[in-house]
Amino acid sequence: MLFRSYFVDEYSVGRTPNPCVVCNHWIKFGKLFDYAASVGAEYVATGHYARLTPAADGSPALRRGVDSGKDQSYVLFGIPEELLPRMMLPVGEYRKAEIRALASKLGLRVADKRDSQEICFVTSGKHDEFVRARREADLSGEIVTTDGRVVGRHPGIERFTIGQRKGLGVAMGEPYFVVRIEPKTCRVVIGRSEDLACRELTASRCNWLTDVGSEPIQCHAKIRYNSPPVPAVAELQGDDRMRVTFDEPRYGVAPGQAVVLYNGDRVLGGGWIDSPTT
């Protein structure tokens, strides 16, 4: 119920939710650790493609998995730092093909299991229908260009995310993308690729897996699970907020997604994107 409500609420206010990250933080590294403590288990092991290795001071450092195509360190940024010594990530040192080969050798039925592609509780794969079935409010509205020209209407803002090109429902004669979603008016603003360019973003509810100090952090920042980390500078704004400035513009920065900071292959921490800035 928690994830369904979060999922619906985020889309309803024009944000793009990431329920898999929330699930990891609340269930796998929240409730599961509580249960482990209740039965006296010293460690909790999961099948995430990420690694834990000692840092220079001997403390555990969360790092990207060996298989860059399957790396899941991004979704683990919100783990409480104090839980790292109790975590085990045994598959992070292997590539996915090696794990499948080991499973096959052991006779495990999951050796040939297809990779999961959809959100587990949206079995139809149609998230907009899932949201509409659970919201009484009418979230339909106008589709407008960045200069304010009305070019169409849409059935609900839950159908859209920043950077989306397909399924806009209007023919513009050239590629147009979702640039902004305005929840108060239910307007979806579309524009050309260059209108998506973002040099900065702000993020809140930050979590740190190491002491990052108070000075600006030279790092690589990742704005979506399937996007590469790129050079950036993060400036802390209190305990749980930061501003991230990219060396080069990024495209498709979506409020509601996570921004995760890396030093090499080490996860420093991250936060939830509030707003991009051109």
Side-chain angles (χ1 to χ4, degrees), residues 41-233:
E42 187 174 355
Y43 296 99
V44 171
T46 76
H48 290 93
Y49 281 86
R51 295 178 296 140
L52 280 167
T53 63
D57 62 0
S59 63
L62 179 65
R63 302 184 187 276
R64 286 187 283 188
V66 168
D67 191 335
S68 59
K70 296 296 181 182
D71 171 52
Q72 293 176 301
S73 59
Y74 172 87
V75 304
L76 302 180
F77 84 89
I79 296 169
E81 182 183 4
E82 61 269 20
L83 295 184
L84 293 181
R86 296 178 55 205
M87 286 172 53
M88 299 179 70
L89 301 171
V91 306
E93 298 288 348
Y94 298 87
R95 299 190 180 280
K96 184 65 175 280
E98 295 175 304
I99 294 296
R100 288 194 181 279
L102 287 170
S104 179
K105 185 178 180 180
L106 293 170
L108 301 179
R109 289 181 297 174
V110 296
D112 298 317
K113 181 182 177 182
R114 293 178 58 185
D115 289 349
S116 175
Q117 300 291 333
E118 302 295 341
I119 298 167
C120 62
F121 56 81
V122 186
T123 55
S124 68
K126 299 177 180 179
H127 71 265
D128 56 325
E129 293 180 2
F130 182 91
V131 173
R132 279 200 299 275
R134 290 158 177 81
R135 288 288 294 189
E136 295 180 1
D138 179 8
L139 301 178
S140 64
E142 295 174 333
I143 300 175
V144 303
T145 59
T146 51
D147 59 4
R149 180 164 52 101
V150 179
V151 294
R153 288 192 61 83
H154 64 81
I157 59 174
E158 67 276 358
R159 293 188 62 184
F160 303 96
T161 183
I162 305 301
Q164 179 178 331
R165 176 183 173 184
K166 296 181 179 180
L168 300 186
V170 294
M172 302 298 295
E174 60 179 306
Y176 265 66
F177 304 82
V178 176
V179 174
R180 189 171 65 254
I181 299 170
E182 300 176 349
K184 290 184 178 180
T185 60
C186 289
R187 275 187 160 191
V188 174
V189 182
I190 62 174
R192 296 177 176 85
S193 176
E194 57 266 27
D195 296 319
L196 280 171
C198 168
R199 293 302 299 260
E200 294 184 347
L201 63 81
T202 57
S204 59
R205 293 172 287 158
C206 296
N207 182 69
W208 303 108
L209 298 178
T210 184
D211 182 9
V212 293
S214 58
E215 297 299 315
I217 306 166
Q218 297 284 342
C219 61
H220 280 70
K222 188 177 172 103
I223 59 170
R224 285 183 187 255
Y225 172 74
N226 58 359
S227 71
V230 297
V233 177

